[in-house]
Structure formats: structure tokens, C-alpha cells
Amino acid sequence: MPGRTLPTILSSDVESRNTSKSCYVTIRTNVYDITPFLEDHPGGGDLILEYGGKDVSEIMGDEISHTHSEAAYEILEEHLIGFVATEPVMKAVTESNRPDDILPLPPNTDGMQELKRNGVAEEVSLKPVYANTGISSAEDLSKETDLASDYRTHKFLDLNRPLLMQMWNGGFSKDFYLEQVHRPRHYKGGASAPLFGNFLEPLSKTPWWVIPMVWLPPVAYGTFLSFWNLPNPLQTAAYWLLGLVLWTFVEYVLHRGLFHVDKYLPDNRVGITTHFLLHGIHHYLPMDKLRLVMPPTLFLVLAIPFYKLAHTVFFWDWYVATAVFCGGIFGYVCYDLTHYFLHHRTLPSYYRELKKYHLQHHFADYENGFGVTSRFWDRVFGTELAPPKAAKAA
């Protein structure tokens, strides 16, 4: 299912949300559910309730009453739940020959041009906001998170404190955990948030260059042994390339069937914490440079069963099995380096398309787009990401 953008809400529904149990406010066409913030508002919840169901653009910018800081607007953005068509926008819709270019909001490119001609373009937010992640684009993945505000608003993890024991002791339900862990945060310019908070902390961080340094020497040695001991170099190369191709399938299966086993995740702290350590932390903090590639110890645990499988399937010759396995491990090295560079480097044109594709998996639709080094298996299994809603953007 493609990443769902936030809905357009009926104005009558917005206007009715003016109680302490459900309080919406708007700024132009953006709708915010600020019910959770009522108790935390410095001026008291009653002050907000006066404007429940109404547009607060004017009062928030009123210097005589109280000019709100940029932080106040950032807090609002965390409560964005959808869009409402204001009266000027609805007037433009009723006069339009193609109203579906404008509604549902945000409008597509043609709809935006029509709103500009009618002088109401400033009423409308230009970017789609994805319901699963709460953000609009790859650029938002690197937008600094207000740590205190984020914890106060979502009651999930305090990024100022070690994360592991918060996960273990948090008592989170599976549904709440999955909702929160797929809303990306950005910690202090891409630094690593504390995980253990003790001497184990360095073991959770892996610089990208560790991957080729650790795995290429044994791959080279195993490849050499295979070529040296098998009689036909072309046949050996074919087995090695078979391993490389098989890795692309393994990459897809691991990403979809293990890292994103969300639907079948046990609803208990063991399952949730394991998921968080294995892959959830990467979606929660996707631009963390030191928790992006797989630590060698973890990959070793995953690689041993594949080593045994290769030697079981290709049982007739140890060197054939080794050639296949080494091709697969080389594929893994390419995968992990590609994954790192997609997040953190400017790349040639082919890889720029892969970068857009993979980051879309993070900001728009984590339920599809499992291929990292290619889209091939996504196409085969029907999980290819639809193009992002460029027509809905500025």
C-alpha cells in the first residue's frame, strides 16, 4: 500500500473540535490536533480552548497579545493531522473546471497555478505530509529534532537518556511502538544518541570503513582458494557470480522478512526491544552515521546459517560452495557500503535515483521499497515504491 498522505478534513468537523477532549486549531489550511498539548500550554489550556476549532494565525502573530516563538510553531507541526479547505479555497474549487486538481489538499501543480490566479495560493500548504511518518521529504530526515518537545509530545523515548533501558522498561504496546519508531528523528546533527549509556556504547557504533576492512580479506582468501583448487576458472567465476546474484535476493528477504516483520512482531518487550536493536533504531534515527552499517558481530551471526546452507546445497565440492558463499559476502559488502553512501554521500546519476528511492522508504512508505542495491526484487514481488507525490509538492 503506497504511503498515505494526511487527509482533507471537513470544516464542520474542525469547528466542532473545541473541547478539552478533542481540540483542533488551524493555520490557514493546516489542521492541528493540540489536545495533548492543552495541559502543557504555558498560558493554560483554557486559553487555547477559546480558539478551539478556529484559525489561530492572527492570535499567534499578535504582538500585543503575545508573539509566539519559532519553537511554538515547531510544536504545532508535530501535531499536524491534515488539511481543511478554507472558504477562499472552496470558492476557487467551485469555480474551477478541474476541482480534482485542488482537492484533496495539497493541490497538484495545475491546481496550485489556479489558486495563484485566484490570489489564494498563500492559503495552501504545498507539501504532502505522509501519515505513517509525519514528514514530507528526504530533507526532513535531517531536520533537527527538539528533544524535549518530542518527548513531551509523543511520550516515547527521551533522546537525552540511554535508549535501550527505556525500550525495555517503557511498557509500549506494539502498535504504539511501530507508530513512533517509524516517525524519523534527527539527533544533534547526525550524532549517535546514547544507547547503553555505559562502557558498551562504543560496541553499538560501526564506521562504514570497518565493513570492507573486516570482510574483504576473508572473501579474497576464499575466492583465491576456490580459483586455485577448481579446474575451470570460468566455472568458478560463474559460481562466484551466482553467489553475488543470490545475495540480492537474500538482501530483499532479510529487509522485508526480518527487519520489517512488523505485522508478526510479538506484542511484548522482548520482541519490541529486539526489533528496535535490529532495525527499528535505523528508522527512528535514519541519519545516524555510526549505526547504519551492520556491526561485524551481528552479521557473523546472520552469516553462519548461510555458510552452512551453501555447503549443504553445493555438498559435492567444498570449493564450489566457498566460491558461492564468497560471492554472496562480497554482495553484502556492496550492500552495506551502498546503504551508507545513499544516506550520506553525493553520488553519480544511477545512485542518485537509488538514493531518492531508498530515502522515500524512510520518509514516505516503510511498508514497501525493500531493495537497497536495486529495485529488481521489489518489482518481482510487487513492493516497488510508487513515485513520490511530486505533483503535490512545490
Side-chain angles (χ1 to χ4, degrees):
M1 176 178 161
R4 182 173 62 86
T5 53
L6 295 182
T8 298
I9 303 170
L10 293 173
S11 58
S12 58
D13 187 19
V14 174
E15 291 165 3
S16 69
R17 306 298 184 118
N18 55 12
T19 70
S20 59
K21 293 183 178 180
S22 182
C23 184
Y24 291 2
V25 297
T26 66
I27 293 183
R28 293 183 293 278
T29 57
N30 287 3
V31 181
Y32 306 94
D33 180 359
I34 56 169
T35 312
F37 184 65
L38 291 176
E39 294 182 4
D40 296 327
H41 185 250
D46 290 341
L47 185 59
I48 295 182
L49 288 174
E50 291 182 28
Y51 296 91
K54 302 174 184 176
D55 190 297
V56 296
S57 305
E58 186 175 340
I59 188 63
M60 287 192 70
D62 187 350
E63 294 183 7
I64 298 176
S65 173
H66 172 60
T67 302
H68 288 74
S69 66
E70 184 177 336
Y73 288 93
E74 290 176 357
I75 291 172
L76 265 183
E77 288 303 314
E78 293 173 355
H79 295 277
L80 179 68
I81 60 165
F83 307 96
V84 64
T86 60
E87 188 175 332
V89 172
M90 286 306 300
K91 185 174 184 294
V93 170
T94 57
E95 294 174 356
S96 173
N97 293 323
R98 297 187 59 183
D100 57 324
D101 285 342
I102 302 174
L103 292 180
L105 297 173
N108 63 26
T109 304
D110 292 338
M112 196 64 201
Q113 290 301 320
E114 188 160 353
L115 290 177
K116 286 180 179 178
R117 288 194 293 272
N118 284 276
V120 294
E122 67 280 358
E123 293 275 329
V124 179
S125 174
L126 298 178
K127 289 185 178 180
V129 177
Y130 293 94
N132 281 343
T133 63
I135 59 177
S136 300
S137 66
E139 290 74 19
D140 290 342
L141 295 173
S142 298
K143 183 179 178 182
E144 195 80 16
T145 298
D146 183 324
L147 306 185
S149 172
D150 179 73
Y151 182 64
R152 184 171 59 247
T153 300
H154 297 290
K155 305 295 190 295
F156 182 46
L157 298 177
D158 182 353
L159 285 162
N160 285 309
R161 298 190 291 119
L163 302 178
L164 178 61
M165 295 313 296
Q166 292 185 72
M167 281 300 312
W168 184 255
N169 296 319
F172 307 125
S173 70
K174 180 177 81 169
D175 290 342
F176 176 75
Y177 162 75
L178 291 173
E179 175 192 332
Q180 289 299 318
V181 84
H182 289 114
R183 294 179 67 92
R185 275 72 164 183
H186 189 57
Y187 180 79
K188 298 183 178 179
S192 297
L195 182 61
F196 296 104
N198 56 31
F199 67 94
L200 294 173
E201 197 71 28
L203 299 179
S204 71
K205 302 174 183 179
T206 308
W208 69 267
W209 47 264
V210 167
I211 302 306
M213 186 180 75
V214 169
W215 295 114
L216 286 184
V219 165
Y221 180 65
T223 301
F224 168 76
L225 288 179
S226 298
F227 273 93
W228 185 261
N229 288 281
L230 291 172
N232 188 329
L234 289 178
Q235 188 180 44
T236 307
Y239 281 124
W240 194 92
L241 289 172
L242 174 63
L244 182 61
V245 171
L246 286 174
W247 164 259
T248 65
F249 179 66
V250 171
E251 169 195 318
Y252 178 87
V253 170
L254 286 177
H255 194 184
R256 183 181 182 182
L258 179 62
F259 298 160
H260 282 275
V261 68
D262 303 359
K263 182 179 177 181
Y264 304 101
L265 187 67
D267 194 357
N268 58 53
R269 66 181 181 177
V270 174
I272 288 171
T273 304
T274 301
H275 181 276
F276 182 74
L277 292 175
L278 195 61
H279 194 61
I281 192 171
H282 175 54
H283 274 262
Y284 187 58
L285 296 162
M287 304 310 285
D288 182 339
K289 293 181 179 181
L290 296 179
R291 294 202 181 105
L292 203 157
V293 298
M294 193 175 295
T297 49
L298 176 57
F299 183 69
L300 183 63
V301 171
L302 295 175
I304 288 173
F306 289 104
Y307 176 83
K308 293 187 177 297
L309 178 63
H311 284 269
T312 300
V313 173
F314 302 94
F315 61 91
W316 65 87
D317 195 310
W318 189 90
Y319 295 106
V320 166
T322 299
V324 173
F325 183 71
C326 286
I329 298 302
F330 182 78
Y332 156 71
V333 173
C334 294
Y335 152 78
D336 234 354
L337 296 184
T338 298
H339 190 197
Y340 179 87
F341 293 143
L342 293 182
H343 278 261
H344 294 292
R345 291 288 187 273
T346 300
L347 300 165
S349 58
Y350 168 74
Y351 287 99
R352 281 200 296 272
E353 291 305 309
L354 269 184
K355 181 184 181 92
K356 291 177 184 176
Y357 185 75
H358 179 64
L359 294 185
Q360 187 184 344
H361 169 74
H362 281 279
F363 75 77
D365 184 7
Y366 63 84
E367 297 175 306
N368 290 292
F370 301 107
V372 174
T373 53
S374 82
R375 306 184 189 195
F376 177 77
W377 295 110
D378 278 322
R379 288 170 178 158
V380 170
F381 292 106
T383 56
E384 186 175 17
L385 289 165
K389 298 178 181 296
K392 294 279 187 180

